[in-house]
């Protein structure tokens, strides 16, 4: 299986996992381990840096050698996202940032204008920017041109579990951009992750599908296998779709 590279860092797993919404800290740690993920995203506006309960998320992720990907979830303006990114760089000593600038509280769709503005500023400031965006090929191409290290279009609204609602746009984005393409948001089950990878995505980022599953650890394991299988299928190359049957056995040399 080909290695997965973001900026100058190389990974073996193409599954990125979130750390929010699990039934308990213990289940979260087990699920992350079962997923095989090497990158974990953490909301800078929702996680305590000083936790006296002994459940220090950042310490745990570092002990496991995982890459911490701070995100700007909860930001509704470029200004807030830029501030949050700078706080993350100072607190965690990383230039990696998952950039989210939300435009609507109900759908949680990105505000494209504010997203592009924030991305441009952060790239100029030396950040490695991974932007959450709409499944819009033009927006993705603009983000690549700005200098983002990847593009992360949604498969469906955050937390909806609706799967890949517009596979054709994902395919167009794959053709347009050269940076890694990571589906972010909307994955509900393992088949959704496999479909994303079969479309040519370089990775899948998910959270709710595992955290809110009846058995999060088992779902994390399923997601790991789905991403691996989907990538293998993409590299293998599927047969063309046909309206009519084609016999799989040769027609010549048949016994009369």
């Amino acid at each position: 299986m080909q290695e997965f590279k973001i900026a100058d860092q190389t990974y073996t797993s193409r599954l990125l996992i979130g750390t929010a919404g699990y039934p308990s800290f213990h289940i979260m740690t087990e699920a992350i381990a079962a997923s095989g993920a090497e990158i974990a995203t953490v909301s800078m506006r929702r996680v305590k840096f000083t936790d006296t309960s002994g459940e220090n998320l950042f310490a745990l992720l570092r002990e496991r050698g995982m890459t911490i990907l701070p995100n700007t979830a909860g930001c509704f303006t470029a200004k807030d996202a830029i501030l949050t990114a700078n706080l993350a760089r100072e607190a965690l000593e990383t230039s990696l940032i998952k950039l989210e600038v939300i435009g609507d509280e109900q759908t949680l769709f990105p505000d494209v204008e504010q997203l592009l503005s924030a991305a441009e500023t952060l790239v100029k400031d030396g950040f490695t920017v991974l932007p959450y965006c709409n499944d819009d090929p033009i927006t993705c191409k603009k983000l690549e041109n700005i200098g983002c290290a990847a593009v992360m279009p949604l498969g469906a609204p955050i937390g909806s579990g609706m799967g890949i609602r517009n596979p054709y746009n994902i395919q167009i984005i794959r053709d347009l951009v050269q940076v890694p393409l990571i589906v972010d948001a909307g994955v509900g089950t393992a088949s959704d992750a496999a479909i994303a990878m079969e479309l040519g995505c370089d990775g899948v980022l998910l959270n709710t599908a595992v955290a809110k599953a009846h058995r999060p650890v088992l779902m994390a394991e399923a997601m790991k296998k789905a991403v691996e299988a989907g990538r293998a299928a993409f590299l293998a190359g599927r047969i063309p779709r046909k309206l009519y049957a084609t016999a799989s056995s040769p027609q010549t040399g048949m016994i009369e």
Side-chain angles (χ1 to χ4, degrees), residues 141 144 149 151 173-181 202:
K141 189 61 182 178
E144 179 185 38
V151 292
I173 294 167
R174 175 69 293 165
D175 290 341
L176 281 181
V177 304
Q178 302 302 312
V179 294
L181 167 58
D202 296 289

Side-chain angles (χ1 to χ4, degrees), residues 2 11 13 34 77 111 113 134 184 188 201 219 224 235:
Q2 294 176 330
Y11 303 94
S13 174
T77 66
D111 183 320
E113 181 182 12
N134 293 314
D184 177 14
C201 293
M219 183 60 82
K224 174 185 177 181
L235 294 175

Side-chain angles (χ1 to χ4, degrees), residues 44 49 70 83-94 96-97:
M44 296 306 296
F49 283 85
L83 174 61
T84 303
N86 278 286
L87 291 173
R89 180 159 64 179
E90 183 176 342
L92 300 176
E93 298 181 343
T94 179
L96 273 175
I97 193 71

Side-chain angles (χ1 to χ4, degrees), residues 41-118:
T41 183
V42 180
S43 173
M44 296 306 296
R45 307 191 93 190
R46 295 172 183 153
V47 174
K48 296 179 181 178
F49 283 85
T50 55
D51 194 329
T52 57
S53 66
E55 299 178 344
N56 189 309
L57 176 60
F58 298 106
L60 170 77
L61 296 176
R62 285 182 173 128
E63 285 172 7
R64 297 194 173 189
M66 297 189 71
T67 295
I68 299 175
L69 176 59
N71 68 59
T72 63
C75 292
F76 286 81
T77 66
K79 181 180 179 181
D80 284 348
I82 292 166
L83 174 61
T84 303
N86 278 286
L87 291 173
R89 180 159 64 179
E90 183 176 342
L92 300 176
E93 298 181 343
T94 179
S95 63
L96 273 175
I97 193 71
K98 180 192 172 197
L99 178 61
E100 297 183 33
V101 187
I102 302 302
D104 175 71
E105 290 188 10
Q106 185 173 7
T107 64
L108 299 181
F109 285 149
D111 183 320
V112 174
E113 181 182 12
Q114 294 290 307
L115 177 69
L116 291 171
S117 175

Side-chain angles (χ1 to χ4, degrees), residues 147-180:
C148 293
V151 292
M152 303 203 299
L154 54 83
I158 293 173
S160 69
M162 292 292 288
I164 312 301
R165 305 319 301 159
N166 198 338
Y168 305 105
N169 272 21
I170 298 296
Q171 287 182 298
I172 293 171
I173 294 167
R174 175 69 293 165
D175 290 341
L176 281 181
V177 304
Q178 302 302 312
V179 294

